Amino acid sequence: MYDRFIYLGYTGSGNPVCINESNSEVVYIDYDNEDKSVLINSTIAKCAESLLFYVEFIKKVKAVNGRRAYLEKNATKELLDWISKSLHQIDAVSLIQGGFWEEELVSFSE
C-alpha cells in the first residue's frame, strides 16, 4: 500500500500527509481508521493554494478574536464562510464529507 505514496509531512494528529503517485492527490493516511486514505486536495497546486488561504484565515481569526483564538477554535461565522467559499473555489472536491478540509472547518462548530 505505502509504496504508491510520497511522504510530505504529518497532520497535527500525527498522520502522514502524502502525494498519491497514482493520481497526484494530496491525502493523509488515517492510522486510527484502518489506514484509510483521506483526501486533502485533488492536486499539489490546489493544496498549496488552499494552504496559503488557510494561513490568511488563521491570521484573520487572530486579528478579530485574539492570538489564541485559532487554537481555541474561536472564529466568526463570517470568517468561516470566507474560508469555506475560498476552499470551494480552489478545489470543490476537497470539501467532501470526511475530507480533511471539511473536518477542519467542522471542528470550529464543536
Side-chain angles (χ1 to χ4, degrees):
M1 172 185 173
Y2 297 111
D3 58 337
R4 69 174 199 242
F5 294 105
I6 300 171
Y7 292 92
L8 299 176
Y10 295 90
T11 66
S13 301
N15 293 308
V17 174
C18 311
I19 299 169
N20 184 333
E21 287 185 310
S22 65
N23 59 15
S24 298
E25 289 179 340
V26 180
V27 299
Y28 76 86
I29 308 301
D30 188 351
Y31 287 146
D32 295 330
N33 193 9
E34 300 177 3
D35 294 340
K36 177 183 170 190
S37 177
V38 179
L39 180 71
I40 297 175
N41 284 99
S42 60
T43 68
I44 299 164
K46 290 177 181 182
C47 184
E49 189 174 0
S50 295
L51 289 171
L52 289 172
F53 272 83
Y54 202 72
V55 166
E56 190 62 29
F57 168 71
I58 293 169
K59 289 178 185 177
K60 289 179 180 202
V61 167
K62 289 179 175 183
V64 170
N65 292 329
R67 66 183 187 94
R68 295 194 45 80
Y70 173 75
L71 296 174
E72 295 170 351
K73 299 295 187 181
N74 182 12
T76 64
K77 180 179 180 341
E78 291 78 17
L79 285 174
L80 288 168
D81 288 346
W82 175 81
I83 191 61
S84 180
K85 181 180 176 186
S86 298
L87 293 171
H88 187 269
Q89 287 176 338
I90 295 165
D91 190 8
V93 72
S94 72
L95 292 171
I96 62 168
Q97 186 173 7
F100 174 81
W101 289 116
E102 187 266 344
E103 289 176 358
E104 184 66 19
L105 296 180
V106 165
S107 73
F108 283 88
S109 303
E110 298 174 341

